[in-house]
Amino acid sequence: MMFSHLEPYAGDPILSLNEAFQKDPRADKVNLSIGIYFDDAGRIPVLDCVRRAEASMLAESAPKSYLPIEGSAAMRTAVQHLLFGAGHEAVTGGRVATLQTVGSSGGLKVGADFIKRWLPQNEVWVSDPTWDNHRAMFEGAGIAVHTYPYYDATTGGLKFDAMLDTLRQLPARSVVLLHACCHNPTGVDLAPEQWRALIPVLRERELLPFLDLAYQGYGDGFAEDADAVRALAASGLTFFIANSFSKSMSVYGERAGALSVVCADAAEAELVLGQLKATVRRNYSSPPIHAAGIVGRVLTDPALRAAWETDVSAMRERIKGMRRSLHAVLQAKRPGRDFGYFLSQRGMFSYTGLKAVQVDRLRDEFGVYLVRSGRICVAGLNTGNVERTAVAMAAVLGA
Ligand code: KET
């Protein structure tokens, strides 16, 4: 046997839990495991703007050739406008290299491979905690991964001073992975003024920021959630940004994302784009054409764009409403505790502070699924399940 020596794959903690949920026969089960937006009926929505974009693609019935290595030109330009604003000097000056990627996961991996090849001494620092796959991806690219302080378990907020202290000690050109908005798993973000305090540290230490923007629109709005991206670009720093449309357009399986590198000038951006293309060619060769068709149309057609913005606002507001409902019930059930962090944390996730044994009880006794770190996907709550989910949480929290 060729492969009898293989270690069995334990499975991904998030994806396996989502599969276990699907198999659970209980009718009143609640899925707070994976970072997917569900509507108030518990369904993954197909946005009307996406349906209309697809209808126009079907009507055109254009040939499905390979896209260029770097992806669709229309989508890449539209992504730059979405991230930086159309008139941003970094965009008009041509100093941003953007590729369409296979989801933002593809962008993270292409970026990691590029860093390993061209800055081979550099190591990566990620927030403590972060999305588990960040570590797996960078380690998979052969890069050592460390953490900087981030989440403060005593307040449910940010350890900003400790974070800065650690970043001030890093070797020059270290890569610092930052969540641009709606931090996964904690929902704890830097405030705009904290981003502005961070930038001088990044510059003085000559650090290389790598922004992950997977939840644009789920915090405060498209432009607001790109504030960190725009502030970094305005500061003249060189940095990476992987952005996703999985959540914002509800097109998870289309694998729609992009990688952008903001460079010092247009000549450097051209060099970077060339080597990013080389990285892609020897990985998956070129990105998906259907994803490019959807994203390109929704971002550039004024009617589709307006419909998209309306839908994302509604999704964002629904999540905020669920935060308020969860908070109200928990606060009433456990008046001695402060659950204010459910209101201050932003985006799809909150860190409940539940311990792994409590998470296990929630799943086994109440059919409520969340990852064992205590992260919940707030978008799995709806008017039909939020009350009993909160009651179940209060029950396992103990005195
Ligand atoms: N970054 C972050 C921070 C993130 O939460 C995800 C997905 C991704 C990137 C990847 O998204 P893509 O679809 O490749 O553009 N997170 C959810 C799903 C998963 O784990 O794959 C999650 O955390 O549940």
Side-chain angles (χ1 to χ4, degrees), residues 178-310:
L178 296 157
H179 298 235
C181 73
C182 307
H183 184 270
N184 177 8
T186 66
V188 175
D189 284 343
L190 274 70
E193 57 277 12
Q194 290 173 321
W195 281 105
R196 277 147 190 88
L198 171 69
I199 287 169
V201 175
L202 297 170
R203 189 187 300 108
E204 280 152 29
R205 297 300 314 153
E206 291 178 62
L207 302 176
L208 177 55
F210 198 137
L211 267 50
D212 182 330
L213 179 57
Y215 300 92
Q216 191 177 6
Y218 281 93
D220 287 316
F222 293 118
E224 293 85 344
D225 293 352
D227 172 69
V229 178
R230 295 175 188 189
L232 260 73
S235 77
L237 281 167
T238 296
F239 65 102
F240 286 69
I241 163 158
N243 78 293
S244 178
F245 295 97
S246 296
K247 335 271 171 174
S248 66
M249 288 193 190
S250 192
V251 291
Y252 307 87
E254 298 294 352
R255 312 310 297 129
L259 175 67
S260 299
V261 187
V262 180
C263 300
D265 60 24
E268 189 188 30
E270 201 176 310
L271 278 175
V272 168
L273 183 66
Q275 285 302 332
L276 288 171
K277 284 165 63 173
T279 309
V280 167
R281 177 64 174 152
R282 49 187 179 244
N283 272 283
Y284 54 83
S285 194
S286 60
I289 196 167
H290 195 77
I294 295 170
V295 174
R297 279 169 176 74
V298 172
L299 292 185
T300 56
D301 178 294
L304 299 187
R305 174 69 178 246
W308 182 49
E309 301 206 358
T310 304

Side-chain angles (χ1 to χ4, degrees), residues 55-341:
S56 78
M57 288 157 70
L58 200 61
E60 283 166 25
S61 193
K64 297 188 188 293
S65 180
Y66 294 120
L67 283 180
I69 299 172
E70 68 277 22
S72 140
M75 170 170 164
R76 293 165 56 223
T77 302
V79 165
Q80 291 190 346
H81 293 178
L82 177 70
L83 294 180
F84 302 95
H88 196 289
E89 157 281 318
V91 174
T92 55
R95 60 184 186 90
V96 187
T98 298
L99 302 100
Q100 177 195 342
T101 55
V102 182
S104 64
S105 298
L108 286 160
K109 181 60 164 71
V110 168
D113 284 349
F114 173 97
I115 289 166
K116 178 65 185 171
R117 170 74 176 79
W118 296 101
L119 296 167
Q121 308 306 326
N122 296 17
E123 300 188 342
V124 177
W125 270 258
V126 300
S127 60
D128 176 22
T130 192
W131 183 47
D132 286 339
N133 215 24
H134 281 147
R135 174 178 288 277
M137 280 179 173
F138 281 95
E139 286 181 349
I143 305 176
V145 178
H146 315 272
T147 59
Y148 56 83
Y150 192 82
Y151 175 71
D152 187 344
T154 54
T155 62
L158 182 65
K159 281 184 182 165
F160 187 59
D161 292 338
M163 172 182 177
L164 284 190
D165 284 345
T166 298
L167 299 186
R168 282 197 190 97
Q169 313 298 319
L170 301 192
R173 300 188 168 197
S174 297
V175 179
V176 181
L177 195 126
L178 296 157
H179 298 235
C181 73
C182 307
H183 184 270
N184 177 8
T186 66
V188 175
D189 284 343
L190 274 70
E193 57 277 12
Q194 290 173 321
W195 281 105
R196 277 147 190 88
L198 171 69
I199 287 169
V201 175
L202 297 170
R203 189 187 300 108
E204 280 152 29
R205 297 300 314 153
E206 291 178 62
L207 302 176
L208 177 55
F210 198 137
L211 267 50
D212 182 330
L213 179 57
Y215 300 92
Q216 191 177 6
Y218 281 93
D220 287 316
F222 293 118
E224 293 85 344
D225 293 352
D227 172 69
V229 178
R230 295 175 188 189
L232 260 73
S235 77
L237 281 167
T238 296
F239 65 102
F240 286 69
I241 163 158
N243 78 293
S244 178
F245 295 97
S246 296
K247 335 271 171 174
S248 66
M249 288 193 190
S250 192
V251 291
Y252 307 87
E254 298 294 352
R255 312 310 297 129
L259 175 67
S260 299
V261 187
V262 180
C263 300
D265 60 24
E268 189 188 30
E270 201 176 310
L271 278 175
V272 168
L273 183 66
Q275 285 302 332
L276 288 171
K277 284 165 63 173
T279 309
V280 167
R281 177 64 174 152
R282 49 187 179 244
N283 272 283
Y284 54 83
S285 194
S286 60
I289 196 167
H290 195 77
I294 295 170
V295 174
R297 279 169 176 74
V298 172
L299 292 185
T300 56
D301 178 294
L304 299 187
R305 174 69 178 246
W308 182 49
E309 301 206 358
T310 304
D311 278 348
V312 175
S313 300
M315 288 150 76
R316 178 172 66 240
E317 292 308 319
R318 196 188 83 71
I319 293 177
K320 287 186 179 166
M322 287 303 116
R323 288 186 175 282
R324 289 192 290 272
S325 302
L326 183 65
H327 174 261
V329 179
L330 274 168
Q331 206 60 78
K333 293 272 167 201
R334 285 277 176 276
R337 281 177 181 248
D338 180 6
F339 294 98
Y341 54 86

Side-chain angles (χ1 to χ4, degrees), residues 326 329-331 333-335 337-339 341-342 352-355 357-359 361-362 366 389-399:
L326 183 65
V329 179
L330 274 168
Q331 206 60 78
K333 293 272 167 201
R334 285 277 176 276
R337 281 177 181 248
D338 180 6
F339 294 98
Y341 54 86
F342 282 118
T352 59
L354 288 163
K355 311 249 174 323
V357 284
Q358 298 169 324
V359 171
R361 272 194 68 199
L362 272 177
F366 301 95
T389 302
V391 170
M393 280 185 188
V396 303
L397 266 172

